[in-house]
Amino acid sequence: MSTAATERTNLLGLPRPALETFVAQLGSRPFRARQLMNWIYKRGAGEFAEMSDLARDFRARLAREAEVRPPEVVSTQRSADGTLKWLLRADAAQAFEMVFIPEPDRGTLCISSQVGCALDCSFCATAQQGFNRNLSTAEIVGQVWLASTQLAREAAGADPAAAGGGPSGERRVTNVVLMGMGEPLANFRNVVPALEIFLDDFGFDLSRRRVTLSTSGLVPQIYKLAEVSNVALAVSLHAPDDALRSELVPINRKHPIAELLPACWHYLDEQNGRSVTFEYVMLDGVNDSPAHARALAKLLKGHPAKVNLIPFNPFPGTRYTRSPAPVIQRFRDELLQRGVLATVRRTRGEDIDAACGQLAGRVIDRTTVRLGNKVIGVAVQP
Ligand code: SAH
């Protein structure tokens, strides 16, 4: 990467008001920002030279001062079921992952918000790697831009790598979920502007129900999010009581269930949301008994909640195994019988380690300061 490139402003990091200010600084009229966004997000243009309805000198000025730069692709993998996984460069030594899941009626892009994660959930592959840094807004938005433009190229038949590329399904990004690597609410400052670009009519123009932020339960940030965004909220609950949840999702020790649930209902009230999705990973013999299901139903009954049961996806070194299918069905039935909506997430992309909780990337941990093998301190908190 040349020095000039790093000095240019990456337009993928600027929501519309910031882009208007930037355009004004370049001596152009603010409405040019909408034209620019139209090129970048609707037409997938990455080169200013292509933007034929912009004045020639403005394009030249943009080419000097700005760029449209998504993360660099290290590699891609294609699953037999059509799922695509990208490994994206964070820096010379590190990388993060993104997954596209085609289904008949939608195409879901699962994006990352951090390089690694500091929350240390005991059943998650990302947690094992530790945390390095937050992704920038441009890196978050750049994932969606990159996938959308690549899929559009494939659809146009321009990418030979995609030839015969798996079963059919929606091959456009219609839904975005922040369920890749990282805790999005621990990177609030960069995630919120990205959400704005996803929803903006001149950006990706996604409806707020098609953008889902998944959190492990950072309670103060859920209240903050309610003030600035109205995307769909998913919460990784995974256990119906504090003792078990603290073991699986350690942030629960700081923000227990009795604080987490009111924050969720508050979010819905403020945002006129339909319901919160509670994710619940099915761990064999750990959190999957009928008694757990009944306790969960008691917590959620009467509230606008849906439960999404996620069969555990194993990864090297994990001590957990997946609950057998009949156990998952029984759990679901217990919830349904008690009037709590519940679905089972279909596992996709397992053959390329692209399923929930399997994203690992390449992360240099800097949350723990080690001396030889001994941990001597914690350097970064979420
Ligand atoms: N940090 C956020 C988003 C990332 S994880 C969060 O915790 O919600 C996206 C979902 O995958 C979460 O519900 C997470 O708990 C779940 N998950 C993590 N590891 C998993 C695994 N090994 N198998 C199945 N689901 C897993």
Side-chain angles (χ1 to χ4, degrees):
M1 199 192 304
S2 72
T3 335
T6 54
E7 285 166 3
R8 288 191 216 133
T9 300
N10 192 348
L11 302 188
L12 295 172
L14 304 184
R16 186 150 30 121
L19 187 61
E20 282 170 351
T21 306
F22 179 76
V23 161
Q25 279 163 0
L26 294 191
S28 195
R29 306 269 300 281
F31 76 89
R32 297 285 177 206
R34 296 201 290 268
Q35 253 175 314
L36 257 175
M37 288 184 81
N38 208 39
W39 278 105
I40 297 171
Y41 299 107
K42 296 282 187 323
R43 306 176 70 159
E47 298 295 335
F48 301 113
E50 296 173 64
M51 304 182 182
S52 48
D53 59 356
L54 298 178
R56 201 176 290 267
D57 349 339
F58 182 45
R59 277 187 271 162
R61 185 93 199 262
L62 282 168
R64 282 197 304 276
E65 313 260 345
E67 61 185 344
V68 177
R69 185 160 50 91
E72 194 187 315
V73 178
V74 178
S75 61
T76 48
Q77 277 175 284
R78 204 171 284 268
S79 159
D81 69 12
T83 300
L84 262 173
K85 181 169 87 167
W86 289 257
L87 184 66
L88 303 172
R89 192 175 304 291
D91 60 35
Q94 302 188 86
F96 56 99
E97 296 189 312
M98 158 173 96
V99 177
F100 176 73
I101 306 142
E103 287 176 278
D105 59 337
R106 65 179 141 183
T108 303
L109 189 69
C110 176
I111 61 172
S112 292
S113 56
Q114 299 184 310
V115 181
C117 189
L119 293 185
D120 211 22
C121 298
S122 62
F123 51 86
C124 179
T126 305
Q128 277 197 336
Q129 308 229 308
F131 172 77
N132 188 274
R133 70 167 172 89
N134 285 328
L135 292 177
S136 67
T137 301
E139 287 172 316
I140 298 167
V141 173
Q143 292 173 69
V144 184
W145 191 85
L146 182 75
S148 304
T149 51
Q150 181 176 330
L151 291 166
R153 272 201 313 276
E154 288 185 7
D159 191 340
S168 59
E170 179 59 78
R171 302 299 299 183
R172 286 173 312 139
V173 177
T174 64
N175 293 57
V176 173
V177 296
L178 284 98
M179 294 187 187
M181 295 169 67
E183 167 51 51
L185 291 185
N187 184 12
F188 196 91
R189 201 161 35 127
N190 297 339
V191 164
V192 168
L195 298 176
E196 286 166 23
I197 295 174
F198 297 160
L199 267 50
D200 191 331
D201 306 351
F202 292 91
F204 290 106
D205 195 17
L206 294 169
S207 108
R208 66 188 182 106
R209 304 196 198 289
R210 290 179 176 272
V211 177
T212 303
L213 183 147
S214 178
T215 178
S216 56
L218 300 192
V219 169
Q221 284 86 343
I222 294 175
Y223 284 102
K224 263 175 73 184
L225 187 70
E227 287 170 23
V228 295
S229 187
N230 59 6
V231 297
L233 184 67
V235 172
S236 295
L237 193 58
H238 304 316
D241 63 77
D242 282 326
L244 181 55
R245 187 162 193 269
S246 294
E247 192 187 310
L248 302 176
V249 185
I251 195 75
N252 189 71
R253 294 182 201 134
K254 201 161 162 197
H255 305 299
I257 294 172
E259 287 173 25
L260 175 58
L261 295 182
C264 296
W265 316 140
H266 171 83
Y267 185 84
L268 290 181
D269 286 346
E270 289 295 297
Q271 294 304 340
N272 194 21
R274 279 193 205 148
S275 59
V276 171
T277 300
F278 291 95
E279 294 155 291
Y280 196 102
V281 64
M282 296 300 287
L283 304 168
D284 189 20
V286 176
N287 63 352
D288 63 350
S289 74
H292 288 123
R294 289 192 288 271
L296 182 61
K298 213 166 157 192
L299 279 182
L300 301 181
K301 193 172 162 48
H303 291 287
K306 279 190 294 207
V307 175
N308 193 213
L309 302 173
I310 315 176
F312 171 67
N313 295 306
F315 52 89
T318 182
R319 61 179 186 273
Y320 299 110
T321 51
R322 179 185 294 181
S323 309
V327 171
I328 300 179
Q329 282 313 322
R330 168 88 198 270
F331 196 96
R332 174 170 181 243
D333 292 342
E334 292 281 350
L335 292 172
L336 293 175
Q337 277 161 22
R338 285 166 180 76
V340 174
L341 268 176
T343 50
V344 179
R345 191 177 291 180
R346 201 151 66 89
T347 295
R348 299 289 302 270
E350 262 179 308
D351 54 340
I352 55 167
D353 288 342
C356 303
Q358 292 187 318
L359 302 189
R362 284 205 293 265
V363 181
I364 299 168
D365 185 24
R366 52 186 200 95
T367 56
T368 46
V369 181
R370 286 168 205 273
L371 195 62
N373 274 335
K374 202 165 153 244
V375 174
I376 56 166
V378 175
V380 184
Q381 287 290 337

